[in-house]
Amino acid sequence: MRQLSFIFISLVLLATINACREELYVIPSHNQDTGAQPTQGNIVGMYVLNEGNMGSNKASIDYLDLNDNNPTVYYKKNIYSERNPKVVKELGDVGNDIQIYGSKLWIVVNVSNKVEVATVDSSKRITQINIPNCRYLAFKDGYAYVSSYVGPVRIDKNAPLGMVYKVDTVDFKKKDSVVVGYQPEQLCIVDNKLYVVNSGGYRAPNYDHTVSEIDLTSFKEIRKINVGINPHLCQVDKYGQIWVTTRGNYNNIPSRIYWLAKNKNQQYETIDSIDTPVSGISIVGDSLYYYGSAWNNATATNAISYGLINVKTHQRISTNLFTSPQINTIKMPYGIIVNPISRDFYLMDAKNYVSSGSLLHFKADGTFDWEVQTGDIPGHATFVYKRKTN
C-alpha cells in the first residue's frame, strides 16, 4: 500500500464511495482477449492483485490465463467477488501482496487487517487470518511470515515498533511473533534467516534505516543491519545477495538501491549502493529489472525511470527496458514481474489511482505485445505453475 500521499483525497471520497456500496452486489468478471497465442511451458497463468483506492473496499484480483490449451491468451478481470459471492465487502480494503504457497493463494489486505487464503486453481476463499496493518509475505518449511505495522494507518511520530507474525500454513493459526523495526515492509529468506526491511514510514521525517535479521529456529531478532533511510523492498539473487530499495525522504535524500552480501564471518553487511531511484524490482538470473517513480515533495512530481542492473557486476547496464513507444503511454508504473523462464515481462500502470489501471506485456527483447484493462491500482502479481502429476 503505497498511497499515503493520497490519504486525504481518499478520506474526502470515502463518504461518497461508501454510500455507493451500501447495497451489496456482485460485479461479474470480465474477459478480455489479448489476441496473443499461448506458448507451451510450466507457467499456466498469473494472478494480479489490484490495491484499490484506500477507503473504498475495492481491492480485487484479476487472472491472466496462459494455458496452452486455449486458442488465445485471456485476461479475466475481477474474479474474486464472482467466485466468492457471500464474502461481505468482497476482498477488502487495499491489497498489498499476493503469493502462492503449495496449492494455496495468499493475499495480504492491508487496511482490512487480514490475510485471505484461497485455492490456487479456483480462487475460492478458504479462510481469513486477522493481522493488524499487514504488509508482505514470505514462506519456508510450512510457515508463512507476515510483516505488520501493528499500529493504525496514520502518520504518527510515536507509531509503535512493527512485528513479523509466524503462521502455520496447514491450520492457519498464528504460532508466534517477533518485534522488529518501525513499519516493516518486504521480507526475504536466506538459509534459516529471515530479513525484513524497516521503513519507519509513519514516523516521517524520522524514518527507519535498518534490516532486521531473524533466526527462524528461535524466532528472535538477532541484529539490525543499516541501509539507507525509508527502505521498502528486498529480494535475493542467485548469488545469495540481498537487494534493498530505499525511498529516501522525498526531498534532499534520493531513492537508491543497496546490496548486502556475507562477510568472512558469514554475516550479511551492506556493501554499497547504486545511485538510481528504484520503486519496483524483479530479478531473473543476472538481471535486475526495475522501474523508478521518485516522488519529490518540493515539486509535487514523480520522476519516472526504467532500467537493468547486472547483479553480478553491480553495474547499471541499461537505462531503458523498452524499444517500444508504448512506454510513453504508462502514466504511473506501479508493479513489474518478469517471467523467469522466457524473460518476457509485465508492467502494471496505476494511471490516476482512482480508476481502472492497465497491464502491459512486453516480449523478452522489449517489444510491446499487448495491453489490457485491470482493476484499480494494479501493483502485485504472482505466476501460477503447472501442477506436478505423479
Side-chain angles (χ1 to χ4, degrees), residues 32-38 46 48 63-66 72-75 326 344-347 358-363 367-374:
Q32 300 172 68
D33 188 349
T34 68
Q37 299 298 310
M46 184 177 77
V48 175
Y63 184 71
L64 179 66
D65 193 342
L66 298 169
T72 57
V73 174
Y74 280 89
Y75 189 80
Q326 274 75 10
D344 56 311
F345 55 95
Y346 303 82
L347 265 173
S358 291
L359 177 72
L360 294 88
H361 180 243
F362 295 84
K363 296 178 181 179
T367 304
F368 173 75
D369 194 15
W370 49 258
E371 178 180 357
V372 292
Q373 185 184 77
T374 67

PDB file of all heavy atoms in Angstrom, residues 32-38 46 48 63-66 72-75 326 344-347 358-363 367-374:
ATOM      1  N   GLN A  32     -11.098 -10.376 -21.347  1.00  0.00           N
ATOM      2  CA  GLN A  32     -10.504  -9.612 -22.435  1.00  0.00           C
ATOM      3  C   GLN A  32      -9.569 -10.534 -23.211  1.00  0.00           C
ATOM      4  O   GLN A  32      -8.689 -11.179 -22.635  1.00  0.00           O
ATOM      5  CB  GLN A  32      -9.716  -8.414 -21.888  1.00  0.00           C
ATOM      6  CG  GLN A  32     -10.565  -7.435 -21.084  1.00  0.00           C
ATOM      7  CD  GLN A  32      -9.710  -6.380 -20.400  1.00  0.00           C
ATOM      8  OE1 GLN A  32      -9.103  -5.534 -21.056  1.00  0.00           O
ATOM      9  NE2 GLN A  32      -9.645  -6.421 -19.081  1.00  0.00           N
ATOM     10  N   ASP A  33      -9.744 -10.571 -24.504  1.00  0.00           N
ATOM     11  CA  ASP A  33      -8.909 -11.393 -25.375  1.00  0.00           C
ATOM     12  C   ASP A  33      -7.707 -10.561 -25.807  1.00  0.00           C
ATOM     13  O   ASP A  33      -7.847  -9.545 -26.486  1.00  0.00           O
ATOM     14  CB  ASP A  33      -9.718 -11.841 -26.594  1.00  0.00           C
ATOM     15  CG  ASP A  33      -8.977 -12.850 -27.454  1.00  0.00           C
ATOM     16  OD1 ASP A  33      -7.760 -13.052 -27.242  1.00  0.00           O
ATOM     17  OD2 ASP A  33      -9.608 -13.440 -28.352  1.00  0.00           O
ATOM     18  N   THR A  34      -6.507 -10.996 -25.410  1.00  0.00           N
ATOM     19  CA  THR A  34      -5.307 -10.241 -25.781  1.00  0.00           C
ATOM     20  C   THR A  34      -4.938 -10.441 -27.245  1.00  0.00           C
ATOM     21  O   THR A  34      -4.173  -9.651 -27.804  1.00  0.00           O
ATOM     22  CB  THR A  34      -4.108 -10.674 -24.920  1.00  0.00           C
ATOM     23  OG1 THR A  34      -3.741 -12.014 -25.250  1.00  0.00           O
ATOM     24  CG2 THR A  34      -4.435 -10.579 -23.434  1.00  0.00           C
ATOM     25  N   GLY A  35      -5.440 -11.522 -27.836  1.00  0.00           N
ATOM     26  CA  GLY A  35      -5.089 -11.839 -29.212  1.00  0.00           C
ATOM     27  C   GLY A  35      -3.767 -12.564 -29.359  1.00  0.00           C
ATOM     28  O   GLY A  35      -3.399 -12.983 -30.461  1.00  0.00           O
ATOM     29  N   ALA A  36      -3.046 -12.729 -28.239  1.00  0.00           N
ATOM     30  CA  ALA A  36      -1.745 -13.402 -28.286  1.00  0.00           C
ATOM     31  C   ALA A  36      -1.925 -14.909 -28.242  1.00  0.00           C
ATOM     32  O   ALA A  36      -2.891 -15.423 -27.679  1.00  0.00           O
ATOM     33  CB  ALA A  36      -0.875 -12.942 -27.119  1.00  0.00           C
ATOM     34  N   GLN A  37      -0.989 -15.616 -28.815  1.00  0.00           N
ATOM     35  CA  GLN A  37      -1.024 -17.075 -28.799  1.00  0.00           C
ATOM     36  C   GLN A  37      -0.289 -17.593 -27.565  1.00  0.00           C
ATOM     37  O   GLN A  37       0.839 -17.178 -27.296  1.00  0.00           O
ATOM     38  CB  GLN A  37      -0.347 -17.640 -30.058  1.00  0.00           C
ATOM     39  CG  GLN A  37      -1.016 -17.229 -31.354  1.00  0.00           C
ATOM     40  CD  GLN A  37      -2.443 -17.739 -31.458  1.00  0.00           C
ATOM     41  OE1 GLN A  37      -2.702 -18.918 -31.243  1.00  0.00           O
ATOM     42  NE2 GLN A  37      -3.359 -16.847 -31.789  1.00  0.00           N
ATOM     43  N   PRO A  38      -0.911 -18.481 -26.799  1.00  0.00           N
ATOM     44  CA  PRO A  38      -0.213 -19.046 -25.630  1.00  0.00           C
ATOM     45  C   PRO A  38       0.938 -19.937 -26.071  1.00  0.00           C
ATOM     46  O   PRO A  38       0.897 -20.524 -27.153  1.00  0.00           O
ATOM     47  CB  PRO A  38      -1.302 -19.846 -24.921  1.00  0.00           C
ATOM     48  CG  PRO A  38      -2.298 -20.169 -25.984  1.00  0.00           C
ATOM     49  CD  PRO A  38      -2.269 -19.034 -26.956  1.00  0.00           C
ATOM     50  N   MET A  46      -1.301 -16.136 -14.355  1.00  0.00           N
ATOM     51  CA  MET A  46      -0.752 -15.126 -13.450  1.00  0.00           C
ATOM     52  C   MET A  46      -1.889 -14.391 -12.759  1.00  0.00           C
ATOM     53  O   MET A  46      -2.829 -13.922 -13.408  1.00  0.00           O
ATOM     54  CB  MET A  46       0.122 -14.130 -14.215  1.00  0.00           C
ATOM     55  CG  MET A  46       0.807 -13.091 -13.331  1.00  0.00           C
ATOM     56  SD  MET A  46       1.891 -11.989 -14.280  1.00  0.00           S
ATOM     57  CE  MET A  46       0.687 -10.886 -15.036  1.00  0.00           C
ATOM     58  N   VAL A  48      -3.129 -11.142 -10.692  1.00  0.00           N
ATOM     59  CA  VAL A  48      -2.792  -9.733 -10.496  1.00  0.00           C
ATOM     60  C   VAL A  48      -3.656  -9.192  -9.360  1.00  0.00           C
ATOM     61  O   VAL A  48      -4.879  -9.336  -9.374  1.00  0.00           O
ATOM     62  CB  VAL A  48      -3.040  -8.909 -11.775  1.00  0.00           C
ATOM     63  CG1 VAL A  48      -2.806  -7.418 -11.511  1.00  0.00           C
ATOM     64  CG2 VAL A  48      -2.132  -9.393 -12.900  1.00  0.00           C
ATOM     65  N   TYR A  63      -7.047 -12.352 -13.357  1.00  0.00           N
ATOM     66  CA  TYR A  63      -6.286 -13.552 -13.709  1.00  0.00           C
ATOM     67  C   TYR A  63      -5.948 -13.554 -15.192  1.00  0.00           C
ATOM     68  O   TYR A  63      -6.829 -13.376 -16.043  1.00  0.00           O
ATOM     69  CB  TYR A  63      -7.081 -14.813 -13.372  1.00  0.00           C
ATOM     70  CG  TYR A  63      -6.309 -16.089 -13.627  1.00  0.00           C
ATOM     71  CD1 TYR A  63      -5.237 -16.453 -12.807  1.00  0.00           C
ATOM     72  CD2 TYR A  63      -6.630 -16.928 -14.688  1.00  0.00           C
ATOM     73  CE1 TYR A  63      -4.521 -17.616 -13.039  1.00  0.00           C
ATOM     74  CE2 TYR A  63      -5.917 -18.103 -14.924  1.00  0.00           C
ATOM     75  CZ  TYR A  63      -4.864 -18.437 -14.090  1.00  0.00           C
ATOM     76  OH  TYR A  63      -4.145 -19.589 -14.319  1.00  0.00           O
ATOM     77  N   LEU A  64      -4.680 -13.736 -15.488  1.00  0.00           N
ATOM     78  CA  LEU A  64      -4.211 -13.877 -16.869  1.00  0.00           C
ATOM     79  C   LEU A  64      -4.089 -15.364 -17.166  1.00  0.00           C
ATOM     80  O   LEU A  64      -3.269 -16.061 -16.564  1.00  0.00           O
ATOM     81  CB  LEU A  64      -2.854 -13.187 -17.039  1.00  0.00           C
ATOM     82  CG  LEU A  64      -2.224 -13.280 -18.428  1.00  0.00           C
ATOM     83  CD1 LEU A  64      -3.055 -12.518 -19.450  1.00  0.00           C
ATOM     84  CD2 LEU A  64      -0.783 -12.756 -18.393  1.00  0.00           C
ATOM     85  N   ASP A  65      -4.909 -15.854 -18.100  1.00  0.00           N
ATOM     86  CA  ASP A  65      -4.940 -17.280 -18.427  1.00  0.00           C
ATOM     87  C   ASP A  65      -3.962 -17.571 -19.553  1.00  0.00           C
ATOM     88  O   ASP A  65      -4.192 -17.220 -20.711  1.00  0.00           O
ATOM     89  CB  ASP A  65      -6.361 -17.681 -18.836  1.00  0.00           C
ATOM     90  CG  ASP A  65      -6.549 -19.194 -18.883  1.00  0.00           C
ATOM     91  OD1 ASP A  65      -5.531 -19.908 -18.940  1.00  0.00           O
ATOM     92  OD2 ASP A  65      -7.700 -19.651 -18.858  1.00  0.00           O
ATOM     93  N   LEU A  66      -2.858 -18.230 -19.196  1.00  0.00           N
ATOM     94  CA  LEU A  66      -1.804 -18.546 -20.163  1.00  0.00           C
ATOM     95  C   LEU A  66      -1.802 -20.014 -20.558  1.00  0.00           C
ATOM     96  O   LEU A  66      -0.836 -20.503 -21.165  1.00  0.00           O
ATOM     97  CB  LEU A  66      -0.438 -18.177 -19.575  1.00  0.00           C
ATOM     98  CG  LEU A  66      -0.218 -16.707 -19.242  1.00  0.00           C
ATOM     99  CD1 LEU A  66       1.059 -16.525 -18.431  1.00  0.00           C
ATOM    100  CD2 LEU A  66      -0.150 -15.874 -20.520  1.00  0.00           C
ATOM    101  N   THR A  72      -6.264 -18.514 -27.483  1.00  0.00           N
ATOM    102  CA  THR A  72      -5.567 -17.248 -27.262  1.00  0.00           C
ATOM    103  C   THR A  72      -5.446 -16.998 -25.760  1.00  0.00           C
ATOM    104  O   THR A  72      -6.084 -17.666 -24.945  1.00  0.00           O
ATOM    105  CB  THR A  72      -6.315 -16.054 -27.909  1.00  0.00           C
ATOM    106  OG1 THR A  72      -7.647 -15.993 -27.392  1.00  0.00           O
ATOM    107  CG2 THR A  72      -6.364 -16.193 -29.415  1.00  0.00           C
ATOM    108  N   VAL A  73      -4.651 -15.996 -25.407  1.00  0.00           N
ATOM    109  CA  VAL A  73      -4.450 -15.623 -24.005  1.00  0.00           C
ATOM    110  C   VAL A  73      -5.575 -14.692 -23.566  1.00  0.00           C
ATOM    111  O   VAL A  73      -5.820 -13.664 -24.205  1.00  0.00           O
ATOM    112  CB  VAL A  73      -3.089 -14.932 -23.818  1.00  0.00           C
ATOM    113  CG1 VAL A  73      -2.945 -14.404 -22.400  1.00  0.00           C
ATOM    114  CG2 VAL A  73      -1.955 -15.899 -24.161  1.00  0.00           C
ATOM    115  N   TYR A  74      -6.260 -15.060 -22.478  1.00  0.00           N
ATOM    116  CA  TYR A  74      -7.363 -14.256 -21.958  1.00  0.00           C
ATOM    117  C   TYR A  74      -6.983 -13.618 -20.619  1.00  0.00           C
ATOM    118  O   TYR A  74      -6.259 -14.220 -19.816  1.00  0.00           O
ATOM    119  CB  TYR A  74      -8.613 -15.107 -21.757  1.00  0.00           C
ATOM    120  CG  TYR A  74      -9.384 -15.369 -23.028  1.00  0.00           C
ATOM    121  CD1 TYR A  74      -9.091 -16.471 -23.821  1.00  0.00           C
ATOM    122  CD2 TYR A  74     -10.390 -14.501 -23.430  1.00  0.00           C
ATOM    123  CE1 TYR A  74      -9.787 -16.710 -24.996  1.00  0.00           C
ATOM    124  CE2 TYR A  74     -11.092 -14.736 -24.604  1.00  0.00           C
ATOM    125  CZ  TYR A  74     -10.792 -15.843 -25.377  1.00  0.00           C
ATOM    126  OH  TYR A  74     -11.479 -16.064 -26.543  1.00  0.00           O
ATOM    127  N   TYR A  75      -7.506 -12.398 -20.415  1.00  0.00           N
ATOM    128  CA  TYR A  75      -7.343 -11.709 -19.136  1.00  0.00           C
ATOM    129  C   TYR A  75      -8.722 -11.581 -18.492  1.00  0.00           C
ATOM    130  O   TYR A  75      -9.636 -10.994 -19.071  1.00  0.00           O
ATOM    131  CB  TYR A  75      -6.735 -10.324 -19.340  1.00  0.00           C
ATOM    132  CG  TYR A  75      -6.335  -9.647 -18.041  1.00  0.00           C
ATOM    133  CD1 TYR A  75      -5.139  -9.985 -17.407  1.00  0.00           C
ATOM    134  CD2 TYR A  75      -7.136  -8.683 -17.460  1.00  0.00           C
ATOM    135  CE1 TYR A  75      -4.759  -9.372 -16.224  1.00  0.00           C
ATOM    136  CE2 TYR A  75      -6.764  -8.061 -16.274  1.00  0.00           C
ATOM    137  CZ  TYR A  75      -5.574  -8.409 -15.659  1.00  0.00           C
ATOM    138  OH  TYR A  75      -5.206  -7.799 -14.479  1.00  0.00           O
ATOM    139  N   GLN A 326       5.301   2.437 -26.645  1.00  0.00           N
ATOM    140  CA  GLN A 326       4.226   2.261 -25.660  1.00  0.00           C
ATOM    141  C   GLN A 326       4.671   2.619 -24.252  1.00  0.00           C
ATOM    142  O   GLN A 326       3.841   2.853 -23.372  1.00  0.00           O
ATOM    143  CB  GLN A 326       3.700   0.820 -25.678  1.00  0.00           C
ATOM    144  CG  GLN A 326       2.619   0.571 -26.710  1.00  0.00           C
ATOM    145  CD  GLN A 326       3.170   0.482 -28.116  1.00  0.00           C
ATOM    146  OE1 GLN A 326       4.379   0.426 -28.317  1.00  0.00           O
ATOM    147  NE2 GLN A 326       2.284   0.458 -29.109  1.00  0.00           N
ATOM    148  N   ASP A 344      10.037 -12.728 -20.840  1.00  0.00           N
ATOM    149  CA  ASP A 344       9.097 -11.683 -21.204  1.00  0.00           C
ATOM    150  C   ASP A 344       8.614 -11.066 -19.891  1.00  0.00           C
ATOM    151  O   ASP A 344       8.712 -11.678 -18.834  1.00  0.00           O
ATOM    152  CB  ASP A 344       7.937 -12.238 -22.029  1.00  0.00           C
ATOM    153  CG  ASP A 344       7.212 -13.375 -21.330  1.00  0.00           C
ATOM    154  OD1 ASP A 344       7.889 -14.315 -20.847  1.00  0.00           O
ATOM    155  OD2 ASP A 344       5.968 -13.339 -21.247  1.00  0.00           O
ATOM    156  N   PHE A 345       8.105  -9.835 -19.935  1.00  0.00           N
ATOM    157  CA  PHE A 345       7.778  -9.186 -18.667  1.00  0.00           C
ATOM    158  C   PHE A 345       6.511  -8.336 -18.761  1.00  0.00           C
ATOM    159  O   PHE A 345       6.036  -8.003 -19.856  1.00  0.00           O
ATOM    160  CB  PHE A 345       8.958  -8.359 -18.145  1.00  0.00           C
ATOM    161  CG  PHE A 345       9.480  -7.331 -19.116  1.00  0.00           C
ATOM    162  CD1 PHE A 345       9.048  -6.017 -19.076  1.00  0.00           C
ATOM    163  CD2 PHE A 345      10.453  -7.684 -20.051  1.00  0.00           C
ATOM    164  CE1 PHE A 345       9.553  -5.069 -19.945  1.00  0.00           C
ATOM    165  CE2 PHE A 345      10.972  -6.738 -20.932  1.00  0.00           C
ATOM    166  CZ  PHE A 345      10.519  -5.429 -20.878  1.00  0.00           C
ATOM    167  N   TYR A 346       6.007  -8.003 -17.579  1.00  0.00           N
ATOM    168  CA  TYR A 346       4.746  -7.287 -17.445  1.00  0.00           C
ATOM    169  C   TYR A 346       4.955  -6.045 -16.586  1.00  0.00           C
ATOM    170  O   TYR A 346       5.615  -6.100 -15.547  1.00  0.00           O
ATOM    171  CB  TYR A 346       3.686  -8.171 -16.794  1.00  0.00           C
ATOM    172  CG  TYR A 346       3.420  -9.466 -17.506  1.00  0.00           C
ATOM    173  CD1 TYR A 346       4.247 -10.573 -17.305  1.00  0.00           C
ATOM    174  CD2 TYR A 346       2.349  -9.607 -18.399  1.00  0.00           C
ATOM    175  CE1 TYR A 346       4.011 -11.775 -17.959  1.00  0.00           C
ATOM    176  CE2 TYR A 346       2.107 -10.800 -19.054  1.00  0.00           C
ATOM    177  CZ  TYR A 346       2.946 -11.888 -18.829  1.00  0.00           C
ATOM    178  OH  TYR A 346       2.712 -13.075 -19.474  1.00  0.00           O
ATOM    179  N   LEU A 347       4.355  -4.950 -17.023  1.00  0.00           N
ATOM    180  CA  LEU A 347       4.343  -3.720 -16.234  1.00  0.00           C
ATOM    181  C   LEU A 347       2.910  -3.349 -15.890  1.00  0.00           C
ATOM    182  O   LEU A 347       2.018  -3.457 -16.742  1.00  0.00           O
ATOM    183  CB  LEU A 347       4.986  -2.573 -17.013  1.00  0.00           C
ATOM    184  CG  LEU A 347       6.466  -2.310 -16.760  1.00  0.00           C
ATOM    185  CD1 LEU A 347       6.975  -1.261 -17.724  1.00  0.00           C
ATOM    186  CD2 LEU A 347       6.694  -1.851 -15.327  1.00  0.00           C
ATOM    187  N   SER A 358      -3.859  -0.561 -15.990  1.00  0.00           N
ATOM    188  CA  SER A 358      -3.538  -1.360 -17.169  1.00  0.00           C
ATOM    189  C   SER A 358      -2.409  -2.332 -16.845  1.00  0.00           C
ATOM    190  O   SER A 358      -1.561  -2.064 -15.988  1.00  0.00           O
ATOM    191  CB  SER A 358      -3.096  -0.476 -18.340  1.00  0.00           C
ATOM    192  OG  SER A 358      -4.165   0.295 -18.842  1.00  0.00           O
ATOM    193  N   LEU A 359      -2.418  -3.459 -17.579  1.00  0.00           N
ATOM    194  CA  LEU A 359      -1.312  -4.406 -17.568  1.00  0.00           C
ATOM    195  C   LEU A 359      -0.756  -4.448 -18.978  1.00  0.00           C
ATOM    196  O   LEU A 359      -1.483  -4.705 -19.931  1.00  0.00           O
ATOM    197  CB  LEU A 359      -1.790  -5.797 -17.144  1.00  0.00           C
ATOM    198  CG  LEU A 359      -0.723  -6.893 -17.155  1.00  0.00           C
ATOM    199  CD1 LEU A 359       0.248  -6.690 -15.993  1.00  0.00           C
ATOM    200  CD2 LEU A 359      -1.368  -8.279 -17.061  1.00  0.00           C
ATOM    201  N   LEU A 360       0.541  -4.183 -19.109  1.00  0.00           N
ATOM    202  CA  LEU A 360       1.188  -4.192 -20.418  1.00  0.00           C
ATOM    203  C   LEU A 360       2.186  -5.338 -20.471  1.00  0.00           C
ATOM    204  O   LEU A 360       2.950  -5.552 -19.525  1.00  0.00           O
ATOM    205  CB  LEU A 360       1.925  -2.878 -20.681  1.00  0.00           C
ATOM    206  CG  LEU A 360       1.062  -1.617 -20.825  1.00  0.00           C
ATOM    207  CD1 LEU A 360       0.818  -0.973 -19.466  1.00  0.00           C
ATOM    208  CD2 LEU A 360       1.727  -0.612 -21.763  1.00  0.00           C
ATOM    209  N   HIS A 361       2.165  -6.075 -21.588  1.00  0.00           N
ATOM    210  CA  HIS A 361       3.075  -7.201 -21.770  1.00  0.00           C
ATOM    211  C   HIS A 361       4.111  -6.860 -22.825  1.00  0.00           C
ATOM    212  O   HIS A 361       3.787  -6.330 -23.888  1.00  0.00           O
ATOM    213  CB  HIS A 361       2.303  -8.447 -22.200  1.00  0.00           C
ATOM    214  CG  HIS A 361       3.179  -9.641 -22.414  1.00  0.00           C
ATOM    215  ND1 HIS A 361       3.316 -10.259 -23.642  1.00  0.00           N
ATOM    216  CD2 HIS A 361       3.996 -10.315 -21.565  1.00  0.00           C
ATOM    217  CE1 HIS A 361       4.161 -11.278 -23.538  1.00  0.00           C
ATOM    218  NE2 HIS A 361       4.591 -11.331 -22.289  1.00  0.00           N
ATOM    219  N   PHE A 362       5.381  -7.158 -22.493  1.00  0.00           N
ATOM    220  CA  PHE A 362       6.486  -6.918 -23.408  1.00  0.00           C
ATOM    221  C   PHE A 362       7.241  -8.225 -23.622  1.00  0.00           C
ATOM    222  O   PHE A 362       7.422  -9.015 -22.690  1.00  0.00           O
ATOM    223  CB  PHE A 362       7.448  -5.875 -22.842  1.00  0.00           C
ATOM    224  CG  PHE A 362       6.840  -4.509 -22.712  1.00  0.00           C
ATOM    225  CD1 PHE A 362       6.091  -4.177 -21.592  1.00  0.00           C
ATOM    226  CD2 PHE A 362       7.011  -3.560 -23.700  1.00  0.00           C
ATOM    227  CE1 PHE A 362       5.525  -2.918 -21.459  1.00  0.00           C
ATOM    228  CE2 PHE A 362       6.448  -2.298 -23.582  1.00  0.00           C
ATOM    229  CZ  PHE A 362       5.697  -1.977 -22.465  1.00  0.00           C
ATOM    230  N   LYS A 363       7.694  -8.444 -24.831  1.00  0.00           N
ATOM    231  CA  LYS A 363       8.495  -9.626 -25.131  1.00  0.00           C
ATOM    232  C   LYS A 363       9.879  -9.464 -24.515  1.00  0.00           C
ATOM    233  O   LYS A 363      10.253  -8.382 -24.051  1.00  0.00           O
ATOM    234  CB  LYS A 363       8.584  -9.822 -26.642  1.00  0.00           C
ATOM    235  CG  LYS A 363       7.218 -10.102 -27.280  1.00  0.00           C
ATOM    236  CD  LYS A 363       7.330 -10.250 -28.782  1.00  0.00           C
ATOM    237  CE  LYS A 363       5.955 -10.507 -29.412  1.00  0.00           C
ATOM    238  NZ  LYS A 363       6.037 -10.633 -30.888  1.00  0.00           N
ATOM    239  N   THR A 367      10.046  -5.589 -26.952  1.00  0.00           N
ATOM    240  CA  THR A 367       8.989  -5.252 -27.910  1.00  0.00           C
ATOM    241  C   THR A 367       7.626  -5.332 -27.250  1.00  0.00           C
ATOM    242  O   THR A 367       7.308  -6.312 -26.567  1.00  0.00           O
ATOM    243  CB  THR A 367       9.017  -6.212 -29.116  1.00  0.00           C
ATOM    244  OG1 THR A 367      10.314  -6.178 -29.709  1.00  0.00           O
ATOM    245  CG2 THR A 367       7.962  -5.830 -30.136  1.00  0.00           C
ATOM    246  N   PHE A 368       6.800  -4.309 -27.458  1.00  0.00           N
ATOM    247  CA  PHE A 368       5.454  -4.304 -26.899  1.00  0.00           C
ATOM    248  C   PHE A 368       4.600  -5.384 -27.544  1.00  0.00           C
ATOM    249  O   PHE A 368       4.674  -5.606 -28.749  1.00  0.00           O
ATOM    250  CB  PHE A 368       4.806  -2.931 -27.129  1.00  0.00           C
ATOM    251  CG  PHE A 368       3.355  -2.876 -26.738  1.00  0.00           C
ATOM    252  CD1 PHE A 368       2.977  -2.821 -25.409  1.00  0.00           C
ATOM    253  CD2 PHE A 368       2.361  -2.878 -27.709  1.00  0.00           C
ATOM    254  CE1 PHE A 368       1.637  -2.775 -25.045  1.00  0.00           C
ATOM    255  CE2 PHE A 368       1.026  -2.821 -27.369  1.00  0.00           C
ATOM    256  CZ  PHE A 368       0.661  -2.772 -26.026  1.00  0.00           C
ATOM    257  N   ASP A 369       3.775  -6.063 -26.717  1.00  0.00           N
ATOM    258  CA  ASP A 369       2.946  -7.165 -27.213  1.00  0.00           C
ATOM    259  C   ASP A 369       1.461  -6.824 -27.129  1.00  0.00           C
ATOM    260  O   ASP A 369       0.763  -6.829 -28.129  1.00  0.00           O
ATOM    261  CB  ASP A 369       3.261  -8.432 -26.416  1.00  0.00           C
ATOM    262  CG  ASP A 369       2.715  -9.687 -27.072  1.00  0.00           C
ATOM    263  OD1 ASP A 369       2.352  -9.629 -28.258  1.00  0.00           O
ATOM    264  OD2 ASP A 369       2.640 -10.730 -26.389  1.00  0.00           O
ATOM    265  N   TRP A 370       0.959  -6.558 -25.912  1.00  0.00           N
ATOM    266  CA  TRP A 370      -0.455  -6.225 -25.762  1.00  0.00           C
ATOM    267  C   TRP A 370      -0.702  -5.489 -24.450  1.00  0.00           C
ATOM    268  O   TRP A 370       0.167  -5.459 -23.566  1.00  0.00           O
ATOM    269  CB  TRP A 370      -1.345  -7.463 -25.836  1.00  0.00           C
ATOM    270  CG  TRP A 370      -0.937  -8.636 -24.970  1.00  0.00           C
ATOM    271  CD1 TRP A 370      -0.304  -9.777 -25.380  1.00  0.00           C
ATOM    272  CD2 TRP A 370      -1.132  -8.787 -23.548  1.00  0.00           C
ATOM    273  NE1 TRP A 370      -0.085 -10.621 -24.320  1.00  0.00           N
ATOM    274  CE2 TRP A 370      -0.588 -10.046 -23.181  1.00  0.00           C
ATOM    275  CE3 TRP A 370      -1.711  -8.005 -22.564  1.00  0.00           C
ATOM    276  CZ2 TRP A 370      -0.599 -10.518 -21.869  1.00  0.00           C
ATOM    277  CZ3 TRP A 370      -1.728  -8.468 -21.245  1.00  0.00           C
ATOM    278  CH2 TRP A 370      -1.185  -9.705 -20.912  1.00  0.00           C
ATOM    279  N   GLU A 371      -1.897  -4.923 -24.320  1.00  0.00           N
ATOM    280  CA  GLU A 371      -2.303  -4.197 -23.115  1.00  0.00           C
ATOM    281  C   GLU A 371      -3.754  -4.517 -22.798  1.00  0.00           C
ATOM    282  O   GLU A 371      -4.589  -4.617 -23.707  1.00  0.00           O
ATOM    283  CB  GLU A 371      -2.137  -2.685 -23.319  1.00  0.00           C
ATOM    284  CG  GLU A 371      -2.577  -1.841 -22.121  1.00  0.00           C
ATOM    285  CD  GLU A 371      -2.388  -0.339 -22.365  1.00  0.00           C
ATOM    286  OE1 GLU A 371      -1.868   0.028 -23.446  1.00  0.00           O
ATOM    287  OE2 GLU A 371      -2.751   0.444 -21.478  1.00  0.00           O
ATOM    288  N   VAL A 372      -4.074  -4.686 -21.497  1.00  0.00           N
ATOM    289  CA  VAL A 372      -5.451  -4.927 -21.068  1.00  0.00           C
ATOM    290  C   VAL A 372      -5.780  -4.010 -19.888  1.00  0.00           C
ATOM    291  O   VAL A 372      -4.892  -3.482 -19.220  1.00  0.00           O
ATOM    292  CB  VAL A 372      -5.670  -6.398 -20.642  1.00  0.00           C
ATOM    293  CG1 VAL A 372      -5.581  -7.330 -21.834  1.00  0.00           C
ATOM    294  CG2 VAL A 372      -4.696  -6.805 -19.542  1.00  0.00           C
ATOM    295  N   GLN A 373      -7.078  -3.850 -19.663  1.00  0.00           N
ATOM    296  CA  GLN A 373      -7.556  -3.061 -18.532  1.00  0.00           C
ATOM    297  C   GLN A 373      -7.606  -3.934 -17.286  1.00  0.00           C
ATOM    298  O   GLN A 373      -8.038  -5.083 -17.324  1.00  0.00           O
ATOM    299  CB  GLN A 373      -8.946  -2.502 -18.823  1.00  0.00           C
ATOM    300  CG  GLN A 373      -9.479  -1.563 -17.752  1.00  0.00           C
ATOM    301  CD  GLN A 373     -10.900  -1.125 -18.043  1.00  0.00           C
ATOM    302  OE1 GLN A 373     -11.850  -1.865 -17.829  1.00  0.00           O
ATOM    303  NE2 GLN A 373     -11.041   0.082 -18.568  1.00  0.00           N
ATOM    304  N   THR A 374      -7.157  -3.387 -16.149  1.00  0.00           N
ATOM    305  CA  THR A 374      -7.172  -4.102 -14.879  1.00  0.00           C
ATOM    306  C   THR A 374      -8.158  -3.442 -13.916  1.00  0.00           C
ATOM    307  O   THR A 374      -8.873  -2.509 -14.282  1.00  0.00           O
ATOM    308  CB  THR A 374      -5.769  -4.076 -14.231  1.00  0.00           C
ATOM    309  OG1 THR A 374      -5.465  -2.715 -13.845  1.00  0.00           O
ATOM    310  CG2 THR A 374      -4.707  -4.580 -15.200  1.00  0.00           C
TER     311      THR A 374
END
